Amino acid sequence: MARRRSTRARTARATRRSSRPTRSPRVGGTLSLASAFFPQPAVGNSAIHGLLAGAGFVALAIWPAFAFRTEPETPWSLRPTASLAATGVMVVLLFWFATELFNRGDQIGLTERFLAAAESLWPVIVVINARQLRPAFAEIATDKPG
């Protein structure tokens, strides 16, 4: 769990130099990492953990909707169709998790893992796609602004 959170934080730092800044991955990664410092107790709940983790899940679920690009040289993973589809899948998983959580369902852990996996894998797909398929685009996207 801690490894996944540190991966999210590293991905968030790697996206900071984008020419079209999107703060959602940075916020989501930071909130996910912060929630690790306030774990769920053996008995009962931790309100601060729930708040931090919930806000992190929301931020990581919606960032692809704000990160898409329309330039012709854009890699497929950053085009509007792929970005909005990824957001749609993550939002559906988020609602499934929230439904299980608030109804105290039997699949809370399963839905949380599906959501966390989707939110962890999509940034990796975007980075790999931008780096391997469009090296020139990756260089432009990681240049420091100004």
Side-chain angles (χ1 to χ4, degrees):
M1 194 80 112
R3 181 179 295 172
R4 182 174 63 220
R5 288 188 177 112
S6 68
T7 302
R8 288 180 184 171
R10 280 188 301 234
T11 302
R13 282 194 310 270
T15 61
R16 73 174 180 250
R17 290 180 264 160
S18 174
S19 60
R20 181 177 170 189
T22 302
R23 296 189 192 275
S24 187
R26 284 186 273 172
V27 171
T30 303
L31 289 170
S32 292
L33 184 62
S35 72
F37 293 106
F38 302 96
Q40 290 284 14
V43 177
N45 291 319
S46 168
I48 190 79
H49 175 84
L51 180 67
L52 291 171
F57 274 139
V58 170
L60 289 168
I62 64 169
W63 80 266
F66 299 103
F68 71 83
R69 298 170 184 259
T70 56
E71 294 91 13
E73 69 276 357
T74 302
W76 67 266
S77 60
L78 286 174
R79 292 190 179 156
T81 305
S83 293
L84 295 176
T87 299
V89 168
M90 287 188 265
V91 167
V92 166
L93 290 171
L94 181 64
F95 278 113
W96 182 28
F97 173 58
T99 301
E100 287 291 322
L101 187 63
F102 292 125
N103 292 330
R104 302 203 185 277
D106 295 335
Q107 299 177 342
I108 294 172
L110 177 69
T111 57
E112 183 180 16
R113 284 175 181 83
F114 275 135
L115 177 59
E119 290 180 344
S120 297
L121 288 176
W122 185 249
V124 173
I125 291 169
V126 170
V127 169
I128 289 172
N129 182 244
R131 292 272 180 198
Q132 291 182 346
L133 299 179
R134 303 282 186 189
F137 181 80
E139 284 180 26
I140 292 169
T142 57
D143 281 346
K144 290 185 179 178

